[in-house]
Amino acid sequence: MFRTRFAPSPTGPLHLGHAFSAWCAHDAARAAGGEFLLRIDDLDQSRARTHWEQQIYEDLTWLGITWDGPVRRQSDHLDDYAEALRKLEARGLTYACACSRRDIEQAADAPQEGVPTFGPDGRIYPGTCRTLALPQTDAHCIRLDMAKACTVGLPKSFHETGQSRHGTHALEAQTLLRSVGDVVLARRSMAAAYHLAVVLDDSQTQISHVIRGKDLFDATPIHVLLQSLLGLSTPEYHHHDLVRDDAGKRLAKRDDARAIAKYRADGLTPQDLRTMVGL
Ligand code: GLU
């Protein structure tokens, strides 16, 4: 069964880039006679707002997008994430980290030449707390010990069907260690960080095809690794190109000018928007 999803975060208005992403997934599901699910990625409770969630439903409905089954809200599944985290902890693949953002920046102040400082999650963690065995009570967050994780369960490759990166992508521990590092799995204020949550969500909702923007391509090796560690199957991945503004800059949520609701208020039709994003 072909099943895909659209997973916006309710932290601002949906813009043209979201419409394109939702249409890509929705149209693919309909063309395949499969299912299209809607998920609300609201784990960041400091930024998620009910009115943005309502706006998502309104905007998608106006765009002509229909979703199958109930909407899944990440905040309803905190126990599932906690259980997955416990599984990884029990295998010794995680550690508690007490570093603040500032500590990490200071530790990374003298970068080694040729070693990347930023990965898909921002600054690559220098590993300060990895061997300290800190109690969880002192921790700001729980991190994946990437070196151990890769030794235990790094798959050889994953498959991508998006146009610009089409093909099989080999996964190598050295690359993950250098360019990703010990990613955050959970924070004190957030039961699961993005990578752990999406992997669990996609598995529990039996997503066969993940269709999302190219900006998340670099996070995919982390997802494939976590799937393997948790004994979950890996879906097909398709990362579509991003909608850019006239100056070639990626659209952001704060870019209110491109909000779908704004176009709608200005009298444009969903078909006008489809044309604008090249569909
Ligand atoms: N919630 C994520 C976002 O707003 C997308 C998650 C995903 O597609 O994996 O960018």
PDB file of all heavy atoms in Angstrom, residues 183-221:
ATOM      1  N   VAL A 183      23.766  13.442  17.531  1.00  0.00           N
ATOM      2  CA  VAL A 183      22.538  14.242  17.449  1.00  0.00           C
ATOM      3  C   VAL A 183      21.705  14.141  18.735  1.00  0.00           C
ATOM      4  O   VAL A 183      21.787  13.157  19.476  1.00  0.00           O
ATOM      5  CB  VAL A 183      21.643  13.824  16.256  1.00  0.00           C
ATOM      6  CG1 VAL A 183      22.264  14.250  14.937  1.00  0.00           C
ATOM      7  CG2 VAL A 183      21.347  12.341  16.280  1.00  0.00           C
ATOM      8  N   VAL A 184      20.894  15.145  18.942  1.00  0.00           N
ATOM      9  CA  VAL A 184      19.997  15.171  20.101  1.00  0.00           C
ATOM     10  C   VAL A 184      18.790  14.277  19.808  1.00  0.00           C
ATOM     11  O   VAL A 184      18.183  14.359  18.747  1.00  0.00           O
ATOM     12  CB  VAL A 184      19.522  16.617  20.371  1.00  0.00           C
ATOM     13  CG1 VAL A 184      18.435  16.646  21.436  1.00  0.00           C
ATOM     14  CG2 VAL A 184      20.688  17.497  20.780  1.00  0.00           C
ATOM     15  N   LEU A 185      18.444  13.419  20.784  1.00  0.00           N
ATOM     16  CA  LEU A 185      17.270  12.554  20.625  1.00  0.00           C
ATOM     17  C   LEU A 185      16.086  13.069  21.439  1.00  0.00           C
ATOM     18  O   LEU A 185      14.938  12.833  21.102  1.00  0.00           O
ATOM     19  CB  LEU A 185      17.603  11.128  21.062  1.00  0.00           C
ATOM     20  CG  LEU A 185      18.671  10.408  20.242  1.00  0.00           C
ATOM     21  CD1 LEU A 185      18.969   9.046  20.862  1.00  0.00           C
ATOM     22  CD2 LEU A 185      18.233  10.241  18.786  1.00  0.00           C
ATOM     23  N   ALA A 186      16.379  13.710  22.555  1.00  0.00           N
ATOM     24  CA  ALA A 186      15.310  14.256  23.401  1.00  0.00           C
ATOM     25  C   ALA A 186      15.895  15.409  24.200  1.00  0.00           C
ATOM     26  O   ALA A 186      17.105  15.438  24.459  1.00  0.00           O
ATOM     27  CB  ALA A 186      14.780  13.180  24.340  1.00  0.00           C
ATOM     28  N   ARG A 187      15.032  16.327  24.569  1.00  0.00           N
ATOM     29  CA  ARG A 187      15.477  17.452  25.395  1.00  0.00           C
ATOM     30  C   ARG A 187      14.674  17.455  26.690  1.00  0.00           C
ATOM     31  O   ARG A 187      13.595  16.861  26.749  1.00  0.00           O
ATOM     32  CB  ARG A 187      15.197  18.783  24.683  1.00  0.00           C
ATOM     33  CG  ARG A 187      16.012  18.964  23.458  1.00  0.00           C
ATOM     34  CD  ARG A 187      15.745  20.311  22.811  1.00  0.00           C
ATOM     35  NE  ARG A 187      16.331  20.321  21.480  1.00  0.00           N
ATOM     36  CZ  ARG A 187      17.625  20.499  21.246  1.00  0.00           C
ATOM     37  NH1 ARG A 187      18.448  20.712  22.234  1.00  0.00           N
ATOM     38  NH2 ARG A 187      18.098  20.456  20.016  1.00  0.00           N
ATOM     39  N   ARG A 188      15.176  18.192  27.644  1.00  0.00           N
ATOM     40  CA  ARG A 188      14.433  18.275  28.900  1.00  0.00           C
ATOM     41  C   ARG A 188      13.022  18.824  28.627  1.00  0.00           C
ATOM     42  O   ARG A 188      12.047  18.382  29.196  1.00  0.00           O
ATOM     43  CB  ARG A 188      15.181  19.188  29.863  1.00  0.00           C
ATOM     44  CG  ARG A 188      14.655  19.085  31.263  1.00  0.00           C
ATOM     45  CD  ARG A 188      15.365  20.046  32.175  1.00  0.00           C
ATOM     46  NE  ARG A 188      16.705  19.601  32.520  1.00  0.00           N
ATOM     47  CZ  ARG A 188      17.617  20.402  33.070  1.00  0.00           C
ATOM     48  NH1 ARG A 188      17.355  21.650  33.295  1.00  0.00           N
ATOM     49  NH2 ARG A 188      18.802  19.931  33.391  1.00  0.00           N
ATOM     50  N   SER A 189      12.953  19.755  27.685  1.00  0.00           N
ATOM     51  CA  SER A 189      11.667  20.400  27.407  1.00  0.00           C
ATOM     52  C   SER A 189      10.900  19.729  26.271  1.00  0.00           C
ATOM     53  O   SER A 189       9.829  20.183  25.894  1.00  0.00           O
ATOM     54  CB  SER A 189      11.927  21.850  27.018  1.00  0.00           C
ATOM     55  OG  SER A 189      12.795  21.858  25.893  1.00  0.00           O
ATOM     56  N   MET A 190      11.468  18.664  25.713  1.00  0.00           N
ATOM     57  CA  MET A 190      10.831  18.051  24.542  1.00  0.00           C
ATOM     58  C   MET A 190      11.056  16.550  24.573  1.00  0.00           C
ATOM     59  O   MET A 190      12.200  16.097  24.505  1.00  0.00           O
ATOM     60  CB  MET A 190      11.499  18.634  23.282  1.00  0.00           C
ATOM     61  CG  MET A 190      10.568  18.829  22.113  1.00  0.00           C
ATOM     62  SD  MET A 190      11.494  19.079  20.594  1.00  0.00           S
ATOM     63  CE  MET A 190      11.810  20.794  20.613  1.00  0.00           C
ATOM     64  N   ALA A 191       9.975  15.773  24.690  1.00  0.00           N
ATOM     65  CA  ALA A 191      10.096  14.331  24.885  1.00  0.00           C
ATOM     66  C   ALA A 191      10.903  13.655  23.788  1.00  0.00           C
ATOM     67  O   ALA A 191      11.579  12.663  24.033  1.00  0.00           O
ATOM     68  CB  ALA A 191       8.711  13.714  24.947  1.00  0.00           C
ATOM     69  N   ALA A 192      10.819  14.173  22.592  1.00  0.00           N
ATOM     70  CA  ALA A 192      11.614  13.607  21.505  1.00  0.00           C
ATOM     71  C   ALA A 192      11.996  14.740  20.581  1.00  0.00           C
ATOM     72  O   ALA A 192      11.188  15.611  20.295  1.00  0.00           O
ATOM     73  CB  ALA A 192      10.821  12.561  20.740  1.00  0.00           C
ATOM     74  N   ALA A 193      13.234  14.713  20.137  1.00  0.00           N
ATOM     75  CA  ALA A 193      13.644  15.701  19.148  1.00  0.00           C
ATOM     76  C   ALA A 193      13.205  15.193  17.772  1.00  0.00           C
ATOM     77  O   ALA A 193      12.779  14.035  17.625  1.00  0.00           O
ATOM     78  CB  ALA A 193      15.140  15.917  19.222  1.00  0.00           C
ATOM     79  N   TYR A 194      13.323  16.058  16.804  1.00  0.00           N
ATOM     80  CA  TYR A 194      12.790  15.789  15.463  1.00  0.00           C
ATOM     81  C   TYR A 194      13.113  14.399  14.906  1.00  0.00           C
ATOM     82  O   TYR A 194      12.208  13.677  14.490  1.00  0.00           O
ATOM     83  CB  TYR A 194      13.281  16.902  14.514  1.00  0.00           C
ATOM     84  CG  TYR A 194      13.145  16.570  13.069  1.00  0.00           C
ATOM     85  CD1 TYR A 194      11.884  16.487  12.473  1.00  0.00           C
ATOM     86  CD2 TYR A 194      14.260  16.305  12.285  1.00  0.00           C
ATOM     87  CE1 TYR A 194      11.747  16.154  11.144  1.00  0.00           C
ATOM     88  CE2 TYR A 194      14.137  15.987  10.951  1.00  0.00           C
ATOM     89  CZ  TYR A 194      12.878  15.898  10.378  1.00  0.00           C
ATOM     90  OH  TYR A 194      12.744  15.556   9.064  1.00  0.00           O
ATOM     91  N   HIS A 195      14.408  14.019  14.915  1.00  0.00           N
ATOM     92  CA  HIS A 195      14.789  12.774  14.226  1.00  0.00           C
ATOM     93  C   HIS A 195      14.107  11.545  14.835  1.00  0.00           C
ATOM     94  O   HIS A 195      13.598  10.695  14.110  1.00  0.00           O
ATOM     95  CB  HIS A 195      16.306  12.565  14.281  1.00  0.00           C
ATOM     96  CG  HIS A 195      17.077  13.725  13.751  1.00  0.00           C
ATOM     97  ND1 HIS A 195      16.948  14.160  12.453  1.00  0.00           N
ATOM     98  CD2 HIS A 195      17.971  14.557  14.337  1.00  0.00           C
ATOM     99  CE1 HIS A 195      17.744  15.206  12.266  1.00  0.00           C
ATOM    100  NE2 HIS A 195      18.366  15.473  13.392  1.00  0.00           N
ATOM    101  N   LEU A 196      14.136  11.477  16.159  1.00  0.00           N
ATOM    102  CA  LEU A 196      13.534  10.308  16.810  1.00  0.00           C
ATOM    103  C   LEU A 196      12.021  10.286  16.571  1.00  0.00           C
ATOM    104  O   LEU A 196      11.435   9.243  16.263  1.00  0.00           O
ATOM    105  CB  LEU A 196      13.828  10.342  18.315  1.00  0.00           C
ATOM    106  CG  LEU A 196      13.307   9.155  19.103  1.00  0.00           C
ATOM    107  CD1 LEU A 196      13.975   7.860  18.651  1.00  0.00           C
ATOM    108  CD2 LEU A 196      13.541   9.338  20.606  1.00  0.00           C
ATOM    109  N   ALA A 197      11.403  11.453  16.681  1.00  0.00           N
ATOM    110  CA  ALA A 197       9.944  11.514  16.522  1.00  0.00           C
ATOM    111  C   ALA A 197       9.501  11.111  15.115  1.00  0.00           C
ATOM    112  O   ALA A 197       8.623  10.267  14.958  1.00  0.00           O
ATOM    113  CB  ALA A 197       9.448  12.920  16.860  1.00  0.00           C
ATOM    114  N   VAL A 198      10.128  11.669  14.080  1.00  0.00           N
ATOM    115  CA  VAL A 198       9.648  11.353  12.714  1.00  0.00           C
ATOM    116  C   VAL A 198       9.827   9.887  12.377  1.00  0.00           C
ATOM    117  O   VAL A 198       8.977   9.298  11.693  1.00  0.00           O
ATOM    118  CB  VAL A 198      10.329  12.172  11.579  1.00  0.00           C
ATOM    119  CG1 VAL A 198       9.850  13.569  11.561  1.00  0.00           C
ATOM    120  CG2 VAL A 198      11.816  12.078  11.579  1.00  0.00           C
ATOM    121  N   VAL A 199      10.912   9.318  12.876  1.00  0.00           N
ATOM    122  CA  VAL A 199      11.160   7.909  12.586  1.00  0.00           C
ATOM    123  C   VAL A 199      10.053   7.040  13.210  1.00  0.00           C
ATOM    124  O   VAL A 199       9.513   6.134  12.578  1.00  0.00           O
ATOM    125  CB  VAL A 199      12.577   7.542  13.102  1.00  0.00           C
ATOM    126  CG1 VAL A 199      12.729   6.068  13.327  1.00  0.00           C
ATOM    127  CG2 VAL A 199      13.623   8.054  12.132  1.00  0.00           C
ATOM    128  N   LEU A 200       9.714   7.356  14.440  1.00  0.00           N
ATOM    129  CA  LEU A 200       8.640   6.622  15.114  1.00  0.00           C
ATOM    130  C   LEU A 200       7.286   6.866  14.432  1.00  0.00           C
ATOM    131  O   LEU A 200       6.522   5.931  14.177  1.00  0.00           O
ATOM    132  CB  LEU A 200       8.560   7.085  16.571  1.00  0.00           C
ATOM    133  CG  LEU A 200       9.117   6.177  17.651  1.00  0.00           C
ATOM    134  CD1 LEU A 200       8.243   4.951  17.793  1.00  0.00           C
ATOM    135  CD2 LEU A 200      10.541   5.742  17.380  1.00  0.00           C
ATOM    136  N   ASP A 201       7.003   8.127  14.141  1.00  0.00           N
ATOM    137  CA  ASP A 201       5.726   8.473  13.507  1.00  0.00           C
ATOM    138  C   ASP A 201       5.559   7.754  12.169  1.00  0.00           C
ATOM    139  O   ASP A 201       4.519   7.165  11.899  1.00  0.00           O
ATOM    140  CB  ASP A 201       5.661   9.983  13.214  1.00  0.00           C
ATOM    141  CG  ASP A 201       5.645  10.815  14.471  1.00  0.00           C
ATOM    142  OD1 ASP A 201       5.049  10.363  15.461  1.00  0.00           O
ATOM    143  OD2 ASP A 201       6.232  11.911  14.460  1.00  0.00           O
ATOM    144  N   ASP A 202       6.588   7.853  11.346  1.00  0.00           N
ATOM    145  CA  ASP A 202       6.472   7.260  10.011  1.00  0.00           C
ATOM    146  C   ASP A 202       6.293   5.752  10.104  1.00  0.00           C
ATOM    147  O   ASP A 202       5.558   5.158   9.321  1.00  0.00           O
ATOM    148  CB  ASP A 202       7.704   7.612   9.148  1.00  0.00           C
ATOM    149  CG  ASP A 202       7.683   9.076   8.696  1.00  0.00           C
ATOM    150  OD1 ASP A 202       6.581   9.670   8.642  1.00  0.00           O
ATOM    151  OD2 ASP A 202       8.758   9.631   8.402  1.00  0.00           O
ATOM    152  N   SER A 203       6.942   5.156  11.094  1.00  0.00           N
ATOM    153  CA  SER A 203       6.804   3.714  11.245  1.00  0.00           C
ATOM    154  C   SER A 203       5.415   3.349  11.769  1.00  0.00           C
ATOM    155  O   SER A 203       4.740   2.463  11.237  1.00  0.00           O
ATOM    156  CB  SER A 203       7.878   3.209  12.198  1.00  0.00           C
ATOM    157  OG  SER A 203       7.570   1.912  12.612  1.00  0.00           O
ATOM    158  N   GLN A 204       4.972   4.048  12.805  1.00  0.00           N
ATOM    159  CA  GLN A 204       3.676   3.691  13.405  1.00  0.00           C
ATOM    160  C   GLN A 204       2.511   3.936  12.452  1.00  0.00           C
ATOM    161  O   GLN A 204       1.483   3.288  12.551  1.00  0.00           O
ATOM    162  CB  GLN A 204       3.473   4.469  14.704  1.00  0.00           C
ATOM    163  CG  GLN A 204       4.424   3.968  15.788  1.00  0.00           C
ATOM    164  CD  GLN A 204       4.158   4.589  17.138  1.00  0.00           C
ATOM    165  OE1 GLN A 204       3.529   5.627  17.245  1.00  0.00           O
ATOM    166  NE2 GLN A 204       4.662   3.954  18.180  1.00  0.00           N
ATOM    167  N   THR A 205       2.676   4.879  11.537  1.00  0.00           N
ATOM    168  CA  THR A 205       1.591   5.136  10.584  1.00  0.00           C
ATOM    169  C   THR A 205       1.827   4.411   9.264  1.00  0.00           C
ATOM    170  O   THR A 205       1.133   4.649   8.283  1.00  0.00           O
ATOM    171  CB  THR A 205       1.423   6.653  10.338  1.00  0.00           C
ATOM    172  OG1 THR A 205       2.708   7.216  10.034  1.00  0.00           O
ATOM    173  CG2 THR A 205       0.872   7.363  11.551  1.00  0.00           C
ATOM    174  N   GLN A 206       2.823   3.548   9.256  1.00  0.00           N
ATOM    175  CA  GLN A 206       3.137   2.698   8.098  1.00  0.00           C
ATOM    176  C   GLN A 206       3.277   3.478   6.799  1.00  0.00           C
ATOM    177  O   GLN A 206       2.646   3.162   5.787  1.00  0.00           O
ATOM    178  CB  GLN A 206       2.074   1.603   7.966  1.00  0.00           C
ATOM    179  CG  GLN A 206       2.092   0.692   9.169  1.00  0.00           C
ATOM    180  CD  GLN A 206       1.000  -0.350   9.107  1.00  0.00           C
ATOM    181  OE1 GLN A 206      -0.169   0.003   8.942  1.00  0.00           O
ATOM    182  NE2 GLN A 206       1.381  -1.591   9.224  1.00  0.00           N
ATOM    183  N   ILE A 207       4.097   4.515   6.904  1.00  0.00           N
ATOM    184  CA  ILE A 207       4.382   5.335   5.723  1.00  0.00           C
ATOM    185  C   ILE A 207       5.313   4.550   4.799  1.00  0.00           C
ATOM    186  O   ILE A 207       6.389   4.119   5.219  1.00  0.00           O
ATOM    187  CB  ILE A 207       5.034   6.676   6.157  1.00  0.00           C
ATOM    188  CG1 ILE A 207       4.062   7.497   7.015  1.00  0.00           C
ATOM    189  CG2 ILE A 207       5.543   7.464   4.961  1.00  0.00           C
ATOM    190  CD1 ILE A 207       2.759   7.880   6.339  1.00  0.00           C
ATOM    191  N   SER A 208       4.899   4.364   3.566  1.00  0.00           N
ATOM    192  CA  SER A 208       5.747   3.632   2.618  1.00  0.00           C
ATOM    193  C   SER A 208       6.654   4.587   1.852  1.00  0.00           C
ATOM    194  O   SER A 208       7.734   4.211   1.419  1.00  0.00           O
ATOM    195  CB  SER A 208       4.889   2.848   1.625  1.00  0.00           C
ATOM    196  OG  SER A 208       4.125   3.740   0.826  1.00  0.00           O
ATOM    197  N   HIS A 209       6.193   5.841   1.667  1.00  0.00           N
ATOM    198  CA  HIS A 209       6.953   6.821   0.901  1.00  0.00           C
ATOM    199  C   HIS A 209       7.007   8.142   1.661  1.00  0.00           C
ATOM    200  O   HIS A 209       5.955   8.729   1.920  1.00  0.00           O
ATOM    201  CB  HIS A 209       6.297   7.061  -0.462  1.00  0.00           C
ATOM    202  CG  HIS A 209       6.425   5.884  -1.381  1.00  0.00           C
ATOM    203  ND1 HIS A 209       5.723   4.717  -1.188  1.00  0.00           N
ATOM    204  CD2 HIS A 209       7.187   5.702  -2.485  1.00  0.00           C
ATOM    205  CE1 HIS A 209       6.055   3.851  -2.138  1.00  0.00           C
ATOM    206  NE2 HIS A 209       6.938   4.426  -2.948  1.00  0.00           N
ATOM    207  N   VAL A 210       8.206   8.560   2.005  1.00  0.00           N
ATOM    208  CA  VAL A 210       8.366   9.873   2.630  1.00  0.00           C
ATOM    209  C   VAL A 210       8.649  10.873   1.509  1.00  0.00           C
ATOM    210  O   VAL A 210       9.643  10.751   0.793  1.00  0.00           O
ATOM    211  CB  VAL A 210       9.511   9.873   3.662  1.00  0.00           C
ATOM    212  CG1 VAL A 210       9.839  11.300   4.108  1.00  0.00           C
ATOM    213  CG2 VAL A 210       9.139   9.024   4.863  1.00  0.00           C
ATOM    214  N   ILE A 211       7.737  11.823   1.342  1.00  0.00           N
ATOM    215  CA  ILE A 211       7.897  12.844   0.294  1.00  0.00           C
ATOM    216  C   ILE A 211       7.996  14.178   1.022  1.00  0.00           C
ATOM    217  O   ILE A 211       7.063  14.577   1.725  1.00  0.00           O
ATOM    218  CB  ILE A 211       6.683  12.815  -0.670  1.00  0.00           C
ATOM    219  CG1 ILE A 211       6.599  11.430  -1.316  1.00  0.00           C
ATOM    220  CG2 ILE A 211       6.798  13.932  -1.711  1.00  0.00           C
ATOM    221  CD1 ILE A 211       5.357  11.205  -2.156  1.00  0.00           C
ATOM    222  N   ARG A 212       9.125  14.851   0.895  1.00  0.00           N
ATOM    223  CA  ARG A 212       9.332  16.097   1.638  1.00  0.00           C
ATOM    224  C   ARG A 212      10.413  16.920   0.943  1.00  0.00           C
ATOM    225  O   ARG A 212      11.021  16.471  -0.033  1.00  0.00           O
ATOM    226  CB  ARG A 212       9.725  15.776   3.083  1.00  0.00           C
ATOM    227  CG  ARG A 212      11.003  15.003   3.201  1.00  0.00           C
ATOM    228  CD  ARG A 212      11.295  14.571   4.641  1.00  0.00           C
ATOM    229  NE  ARG A 212      12.517  13.794   4.711  1.00  0.00           N
ATOM    230  CZ  ARG A 212      12.907  13.101   5.757  1.00  0.00           C
ATOM    231  NH1 ARG A 212      12.168  13.071   6.853  1.00  0.00           N
ATOM    232  NH2 ARG A 212      14.039  12.423   5.751  1.00  0.00           N
ATOM    233  N   GLY A 213      10.650  18.116   1.458  1.00  0.00           N
ATOM    234  CA  GLY A 213      11.574  19.042   0.804  1.00  0.00           C
ATOM    235  C   GLY A 213      13.029  18.595   0.878  1.00  0.00           C
ATOM    236  O   GLY A 213      13.435  17.867   1.794  1.00  0.00           O
ATOM    237  N   LYS A 214      13.784  19.058  -0.095  1.00  0.00           N
ATOM    238  CA  LYS A 214      15.201  18.718  -0.209  1.00  0.00           C
ATOM    239  C   LYS A 214      16.023  19.177   0.992  1.00  0.00           C
ATOM    240  O   LYS A 214      17.111  18.658   1.254  1.00  0.00           O
ATOM    241  CB  LYS A 214      15.749  19.424  -1.456  1.00  0.00           C
ATOM    242  CG  LYS A 214      16.655  18.591  -2.273  1.00  0.00           C
ATOM    243  CD  LYS A 214      16.785  19.074  -3.683  1.00  0.00           C
ATOM    244  CE  LYS A 214      17.519  20.387  -3.840  1.00  0.00           C
ATOM    245  NZ  LYS A 214      17.749  20.696  -5.274  1.00  0.00           N
ATOM    246  N   ASP A 215      15.503  20.143   1.734  1.00  0.00           N
ATOM    247  CA  ASP A 215      16.229  20.623   2.914  1.00  0.00           C
ATOM    248  C   ASP A 215      16.386  19.522   3.960  1.00  0.00           C
ATOM    249  O   ASP A 215      17.238  19.627   4.844  1.00  0.00           O
ATOM    250  CB  ASP A 215      15.530  21.855   3.533  1.00  0.00           C
ATOM    251  CG  ASP A 215      14.053  21.617   3.793  1.00  0.00           C
ATOM    252  OD1 ASP A 215      13.421  20.866   3.008  1.00  0.00           O
ATOM    253  OD2 ASP A 215      13.518  22.168   4.762  1.00  0.00           O
ATOM    254  N   LEU A 216      15.570  18.462   3.857  1.00  0.00           N
ATOM    255  CA  LEU A 216      15.666  17.385   4.850  1.00  0.00           C
ATOM    256  C   LEU A 216      16.468  16.186   4.349  1.00  0.00           C
ATOM    257  O   LEU A 216      16.589  15.173   5.044  1.00  0.00           O
ATOM    258  CB  LEU A 216      14.262  16.961   5.299  1.00  0.00           C
ATOM    259  CG  LEU A 216      13.552  18.046   6.127  1.00  0.00           C
ATOM    260  CD1 LEU A 216      12.094  17.690   6.368  1.00  0.00           C
ATOM    261  CD2 LEU A 216      14.266  18.269   7.456  1.00  0.00           C
ATOM    262  N   PHE A 217      17.025  16.323   3.142  1.00  0.00           N
ATOM    263  CA  PHE A 217      17.808  15.204   2.591  1.00  0.00           C
ATOM    264  C   PHE A 217      18.965  14.823   3.519  1.00  0.00           C
ATOM    265  O   PHE A 217      19.195  13.646   3.789  1.00  0.00           O
ATOM    266  CB  PHE A 217      18.346  15.567   1.196  1.00  0.00           C
ATOM    267  CG  PHE A 217      19.132  14.460   0.570  1.00  0.00           C
ATOM    268  CD1 PHE A 217      18.490  13.425  -0.108  1.00  0.00           C
ATOM    269  CD2 PHE A 217      20.518  14.415   0.685  1.00  0.00           C
ATOM    270  CE1 PHE A 217      19.214  12.379  -0.657  1.00  0.00           C
ATOM    271  CE2 PHE A 217      21.247  13.369   0.144  1.00  0.00           C
ATOM    272  CZ  PHE A 217      20.594  12.353  -0.534  1.00  0.00           C
ATOM    273  N   ASP A 218      19.671  15.834   4.024  1.00  0.00           N
ATOM    274  CA  ASP A 218      20.850  15.545   4.855  1.00  0.00           C
ATOM    275  C   ASP A 218      20.497  14.913   6.195  1.00  0.00           C
ATOM    276  O   ASP A 218      21.366  14.377   6.881  1.00  0.00           O
ATOM    277  CB  ASP A 218      21.651  16.835   5.113  1.00  0.00           C
ATOM    278  CG  ASP A 218      22.357  17.301   3.856  1.00  0.00           C
ATOM    279  OD1 ASP A 218      22.502  16.484   2.921  1.00  0.00           O
ATOM    280  OD2 ASP A 218      22.756  18.485   3.807  1.00  0.00           O
ATOM    281  N   ALA A 219      19.231  15.006   6.596  1.00  0.00           N
ATOM    282  CA  ALA A 219      18.809  14.373   7.847  1.00  0.00           C
ATOM    283  C   ALA A 219      18.462  12.896   7.617  1.00  0.00           C
ATOM    284  O   ALA A 219      18.364  12.123   8.573  1.00  0.00           O
ATOM    285  CB  ALA A 219      17.599  15.103   8.422  1.00  0.00           C
ATOM    286  N   THR A 220      18.298  12.518   6.362  1.00  0.00           N
ATOM    287  CA  THR A 220      17.807  11.166   6.069  1.00  0.00           C
ATOM    288  C   THR A 220      18.748  10.051   6.559  1.00  0.00           C
ATOM    289  O   THR A 220      18.267   9.058   7.113  1.00  0.00           O
ATOM    290  CB  THR A 220      17.489  11.050   4.564  1.00  0.00           C
ATOM    291  OG1 THR A 220      16.621  12.140   4.239  1.00  0.00           O
ATOM    292  CG2 THR A 220      16.794   9.747   4.237  1.00  0.00           C
ATOM    293  N   PRO A 221      20.077  10.176   6.411  1.00  0.00           N
ATOM    294  CA  PRO A 221      20.933   9.114   6.947  1.00  0.00           C
ATOM    295  C   PRO A 221      20.707   8.883   8.445  1.00  0.00           C
ATOM    296  O   PRO A 221      20.761   7.738   8.920  1.00  0.00           O
ATOM    297  CB  PRO A 221      22.358   9.644   6.692  1.00  0.00           C
ATOM    298  CG  PRO A 221      22.206  10.518   5.484  1.00  0.00           C
ATOM    299  CD  PRO A 221      20.858  11.176   5.639  1.00  0.00           C
TER     300      PRO A 221
END
